[in-house]
Amino acid sequence: MAQITVSLIKADIGSVGGHTRPHPSMMEALKDVLRDGYAKNIINDFYVTRVGDDMQIIMTHNKGIDNSEIHGLAWNAFVEASNVAKKLKVYAAGQDLLKDAFSGNIRGLGPGAAEMTFEERRSEPLVFFMADKTAPSAYSVPLLNIFANPFKTAGLVIDPRMHDGFKFQIFDLIDHKEITLSSPEELNDILAILGDTTRFAIKRVFSKNEELGIAASVSTERLNLIAGKYVGKDDPVCIVRAQSGFPALGEILQPFMEPIFVPGWMRGSHNGVFYPVSVEESDPTYFDGPPPICAIGLHVVNGKLQGLEDPSSEVGEHIPVDYFKFPCWNHIREESMRLNVAIRKQGSIMPAILPPEEMEYTTRPQVLEKLKDRFTKIPQK
Ligand code: 13P
Ligand code: 13P
Ligand code: MG
Ligand code: MG
């Protein structure tokens, strides 16, 4: 059976009325380029969606991860959409396209990528998480709960294929180093590392059953570190494989029932609580937030995508399940807002604002520079 790769590549290239949502014609521009990529046999299938002001391209193909043709196709799609954005003069048109030309793969150019290659199971349900106004470490708490917390994920206790636990590949995003640790044996070490959200994030999760392979993949690109200054937030995505040896859908969504504090809201500078919401209602409008998190479900079928649409419908036309749309999430949203309103009362004072090392990429250093000569020594005894 051929190996299938799923690539989720995302970028914020401008939005209507502030950092809220892309213009529909920008989404159409993405689709036009991807339809062309399908016609040229570069991809098997695609789906275009968004969370807040970030646009996502989901593609299936047979070319593996970090492939230049696949990343080049996504880059061209974002360039075309950003030309539309510039014509419409939407806000921050071209925001995440930091370089003028494509080279090799998307890494270091601005967009973010979560990809995984696997042998398609009899049924291959995937959950795609998409977040706005936050950073890659936002997925640390939910992924730990999904794959390493037996009090949450019943499958770790009662499914023999999950009972041995999972392996976590963790990236140091400052020094560009990686480490893979095994849960449950090394869980306390994993927690000791991931506690520092300024530096560490989960990149991938693997089943210990080699036949099953990869379980989850996160986009860990840090926009401000690439740009060297504040241009926008990373707004990361994450793909999780569900069921049959992996956590059940309910176990994958369960961590979002509890408040998750994440960095990156308002000017990329504030902490907030994730707001689980439907794609349609994900426009960030409360202090440019709170950080929306969307989750959609699609299957991979013979290398293509399948949702609730007619199987014979046109390529790229899919109707995913929108998990956080359902009313049972209303009281979670209310709880999230209760906490978000509370933290907003703290203004720009820590812990409402991010720690100094994260603020280096904002305009704060310029303020400190301006005032530097007005700082005078306090005499010490
Ligand atoms: P079903 O019995 O409805 O397939 O559900 C199985 C499962 O994994 C639910 O968590
Ligand atoms: P984005 O990263 O989503 O563009 O948000 C930028 C911002 O500054 C919002 O306050
Ligand atoms: Mg934006
Ligand atoms: Mg955004």
Side-chain angles (χ1 to χ4, degrees), residues 10 12 19 51-54 95 131-133 233 235:
K10 54 88 34 190
D12 173 349
H19 293 277
V51 55
D53 62 0
D54 285 78
Q95 176 179 293
D132 191 19
K133 317 298 182 225
K233 209 58 186 173
D235 304 340

Side-chain angles (χ1 to χ4, degrees), residues 12 15 19 53-54 92 95-96 132-134 223 230-235 264-268 284 287-289:
D12 173 349
S15 42
H19 293 277
D53 62 0
D54 285 78
Q95 176 179 293
D96 289 1
D132 191 19
K133 317 298 182 225
T134 189
L223 203 59
Y230 180 68
V231 283
K233 209 58 186 173
D234 321 314
D235 304 340
W265 179 17
M266 178 49 82
R267 298 172 183 273
F287 197 57
D288 284 1

Side-chain angles (χ1 to χ4, degrees), residues 243 248-250:
Q243 307 287 153
L249 172 71

Side-chain angles (χ1 to χ4, degrees), residues 19-33:
H19 293 277
T20 55
R21 76 194 284 167
H23 191 276
S25 56
M26 294 163 62
M27 308 285 278
E28 284 308 313
L30 285 188
K31 283 191 190 176
D32 286 346
V33 176

Side-chain angles (χ1 to χ4, degrees), residues 189-203:
D189 295 338
I190 294 172
L191 288 167
I193 294 171
L194 291 176
D196 178 358
T197 56
T198 65
R199 178 178 275 267
F200 298 105
I202 297 168
K203 177 64 192 174

